[in-house]
Amino acid sequence: MQVFLMVLSVITLFLTGYVLVYYAYLNKHTERDVSFFLSVGIISMVMNLVTNTMGVFVLSWLYLIIAVAFAALGFAVSVPATVGFYTSIGPYFKRKFTSGTLIIWQILSAVCFPVGIVLFFVWYRTEHNAARECGKCALWGMLITLLLLWAILGLVL
């Protein structure tokens, strides 16, 4: 049962991250105030990481319920914006992953974020768009690495 709760806590981390991205999209594309959902999502993410660190995996059910409820409540905020979010996922990935050479640099920047930061500063004056993409990927890679490190150390310790 303990292993199931550990896996559930990691799943809720990813689901809470998805909900945060979802409400950030709704915040940008609607006139509605979704700051409550964003703040509860951030608190839920931090509390999930803290409870994983403390080894209290039973609370992962609570975080799962919050994340699923917030994902469903997005339709109540704005149905057209929610449909727009789900229909924009495919074109977003198609646009991001069509450039063959840039995608290699983006993956390298995300996986090894110090390289992405160096590429940002080296290419900033000559290839501004590629530098920005590598810098963004490096920042996302650093954030994801820190969150995964926190989650894994929370599970192990």
Side-chain angles (χ1 to χ4, degrees):
M1 184 67 172
Q2 185 75 7
V3 174
F4 172 74
L5 291 174
M6 285 178 165
V7 170
L8 184 65
S9 67
V10 172
I11 290 171
T12 57
L13 281 174
F14 285 106
L15 189 58
T16 304
Y18 161 77
V19 167
L20 287 172
V21 169
Y22 174 52
Y23 278 102
Y25 178 89
L26 289 179
N27 186 41
K28 186 175 181 181
H29 291 88
T30 63
E31 296 296 321
R32 306 273 180 140
D33 183 24
V34 293
S35 59
F36 170 76
F37 297 107
L38 285 170
S39 61
V40 171
I42 292 170
I43 291 169
S44 178
M45 175 74 82
V46 171
M47 291 304 296
N48 194 349
L49 288 167
V50 169
T51 55
N52 288 350
T53 304
M54 293 179 0
V56 185
F57 300 112
V58 177
L59 290 176
S60 60
W61 287 104
L62 173 69
Y63 305 127
L64 178 67
I65 291 168
I66 290 171
V68 169
F70 279 14
L73 283 173
F75 285 99
V77 171
S78 174
V79 173
T82 299
V83 171
F85 172 74
Y86 288 116
T87 57
S88 69
I89 292 174
Y92 171 78
F93 282 109
K94 185 178 180 183
R95 194 173 56 247
K96 280 292 186 186
F97 298 118
T98 54
S99 174
T101 56
L102 184 58
I103 189 64
I104 294 170
W105 291 112
Q106 288 174 324
I107 291 172
L108 179 67
S109 298
V111 172
C112 186
F113 58 87
V115 172
I117 294 170
V118 168
L119 285 174
F120 173 77
F121 288 112
V122 169
W123 286 348
Y124 188 74
R125 292 191 192 270
T126 59
E127 299 177 30
H128 188 68
N129 289 335
R132 286 187 62 212
E133 290 298 321
C134 288
K136 285 182 201 176
C137 289
L139 290 176
W140 278 109
M142 184 169 44
L143 178 69
I144 290 170
T145 301
L146 290 173
L147 287 174
L148 285 176
L149 185 65
W150 191 2
I152 290 170
L153 287 178
L155 294 175
V156 173
L157 298 178

